Amino acid sequence: MANTFLLYGATGYVGEAMARACVRRGMAPILAGRNAPALSALSRELGLRHRVCALDDARAVDAMLTDVSAVLHCAGPFLFTSQPMVDACLRTGVHYLDITGEFPVFEATAARDVEARQRGVMVMPAVGFDVVPTDCLAVYLKQRLPSATHLMMAFQSVGPSGLPPGTQRTVIELLRFGNRVRVDGRFVPATSAMKTRLVDFGAGPVEVSQLTWGDVFTAYYSTGIPNIEEYTVLSSAARQSLAVMQMLRPVLARSWVRALLRRGVKPGPSPSRRAQTVTHVWGEVTDGAGGQVAARLHGPEAGVDWTVACALAVVERVMQGEVQPGYQTPAAVYGADLVMACAGVTREDL
């Protein structure tokens, strides 16, 4: 097996940050993507090899994966880009990783579990902030309360950093699907479009709003807990916008409407703004006998810094041969302490 990996989407906002972090950590991925001039310039600057390839040519993608053991796929929205890359990984026997948070991608990759096992390929989407920290916290809580039947999770970003451009585009694409929850093991639409509750991230209770974060799908695979909800802190303006978008879901099914919304995507935050931002994750599990356990994680900015740290922690494990064929979730394979390998992360029991 080859001892290097391919970083696809290396000239994107998060992809470039990933490439630079690789060099700082002494890793030497092959950079890849569609933009030949940008790839050439970045690879020359970082002293790395590169390969130019679009994802609409299956033979070219297969050739791009020659002599690599894994792909870290960073070019979204993954609704449109994950399938051709997963297809190629299964054809060529290359392990698949990505940084998606899109639940249709989770559904699609989980459906290929048997095929991946037969090919000896690990398919592990969501090795970024979505979902490594939350996945690890979910597994940690289940270990503390093995009888847990309900899981609630929430996260909060504090600081001036905004969402990366790719995440903004993903949010636009996901609006048409509406909110989902896990009920008795079933992945179903939420009964309330904008459910709220109070959560204490460490500085007193704040209001959080329900949303479909990755763990609503993945934590069931990691923990077996059949009832899962997830929340985040939203500004009043963001809550109002999401409420309007929920009413307009039928319109959002039209691609031209989403294209109009994508015109409002903003540039990614600067490194200095990210450095001033921290992220808090809260989780709680309960069982039918009155048992209750809660804990928190605290870490860096989520969209880039924590995502890069999580993804590369997983890549390092894969490159060491620590893989399990089939559809997998990060904490199910690497344990609840995987997130603690990321610099600046702390965990506290409540």
Side-chain angles (χ1 to χ4, degrees):
M1 179 66 74
N3 61 355
T4 191
F5 70 99
L6 187 92
L7 174 58
Y8 191 84
T11 60
Y13 179 75
V14 177
E16 182 176 338
M18 197 80 70
R20 295 184 183 281
C22 284
V23 172
R24 291 195 297 270
R25 293 171 74 131
M27 304 169 76
I30 299 172
L31 307 184
R34 297 180 302 169
N35 189 327
L39 271 173
S40 178
L42 182 62
S43 63
R44 188 165 52 249
E45 176 189 348
L46 299 181
L48 299 173
R49 292 179 289 165
H50 74 280
R51 295 174 181 174
V52 180
C53 181
L55 296 178
D56 56 1
D57 184 337
R59 288 187 178 182
V61 178
D62 288 357
M64 178 177 65
L65 300 185
T66 300
D67 298 327
V68 301
S69 56
V71 168
L72 176 57
H73 185 25
C74 297
F78 298 88
L79 278 167
F80 310 120
T81 67
S82 63
Q83 182 178 333
M85 187 66 85
V86 171
D87 287 346
C89 286
L90 292 175
R91 286 193 301 266
T92 59
V94 171
H95 302 301
Y96 175 87
L97 310 170
D98 71 28
I99 56 170
T100 189
E102 303 158 40
F103 72 80
V105 175
F106 301 152
E107 291 179 303
T109 50
R112 307 189 75 171
D113 176 63
V114 172
E115 183 181 2
R117 290 176 188 272
Q118 292 173 342
R119 295 290 298 163
V121 171
M122 185 170 75
V123 177
M124 183 183 285
V127 299
F129 175 78
D130 193 352
V131 297
V132 170
T134 43
D135 196 41
C136 288
L137 188 60
V139 168
Y140 178 74
L141 291 168
K142 178 62 185 294
Q143 290 172 346
R144 293 185 59 206
L145 186 67
S147 58
T149 57
H150 291 72
L151 167 66
M152 289 192 180
M153 306 200 79
F155 61 95
Q156 177 189 36
S157 176
V158 180
S161 181
L163 296 175
T167 304
Q168 296 174 54
R169 296 186 189 98
T170 291
V171 169
I172 291 168
E173 293 297 333
L174 291 180
L175 285 170
R176 57 191 155 126
F177 295 102
N179 267 349
R180 303 290 181 94
V181 293
R182 183 75 68 171
V183 179
D184 296 331
R186 295 176 295 113
F187 189 58
V188 298
T191 56
S192 174
M194 292 298 294
K195 183 178 178 181
T196 62
R197 59 164 293 161
L198 295 178
V199 166
D200 186 354
F201 293 98
V206 295
E207 187 178 60
V208 293
S209 300
Q210 190 179 75
L211 83 166
T212 309
W213 198 245
D215 304 273
V216 175
F217 187 89
T218 59
Y220 178 66
Y221 287 81
S222 300
T223 67
I225 296 174
N227 301 284
I228 304 171
E229 297 180 12
E230 196 132 18
Y231 298 80
T232 192
V233 176
L234 296 173
S235 66
S236 58
R239 284 199 302 271
Q240 292 171 1
S241 295
L242 282 178
V244 171
M245 292 299 178
Q246 290 295 332
M247 292 187 290
L248 295 177
R249 277 179 55 201
V251 177
L252 291 168
R254 301 175 181 176
S255 59
W256 66 268
V257 174
R258 300 196 304 278
L260 285 176
L261 292 176
R262 287 196 297 270
R263 293 182 181 180
V265 169
K266 300 176 181 178
S270 66
S272 63
R273 294 176 73 87
R274 298 200 309 263
Q276 299 173 58
T277 301
V278 296
T279 307
H280 307 293
V281 180
W282 169 92
E284 177 186 86
V285 291
T286 57
D287 63 18
Q292 177 180 336
V293 171
R296 292 189 289 240
L297 287 173
H298 309 283
E301 180 272 336
V304 179
D305 297 343
W306 210 349
T307 286
V308 168
C310 290
L312 295 185
V314 171
V315 168
E316 287 177 341
R317 299 290 190 94
V318 172
M319 300 309 297
Q320 292 166 7
E322 299 178 39
V323 298
Q324 294 183 22
Y327 168 77
Q328 303 292 350
T329 56
V333 176
Y334 302 118
D337 288 342
L338 171 67
V339 68
M340 304 309 293
C342 302
V345 175
T346 59
R347 183 172 61 201
E348 59 174 328
D349 296 331
L350 303 179

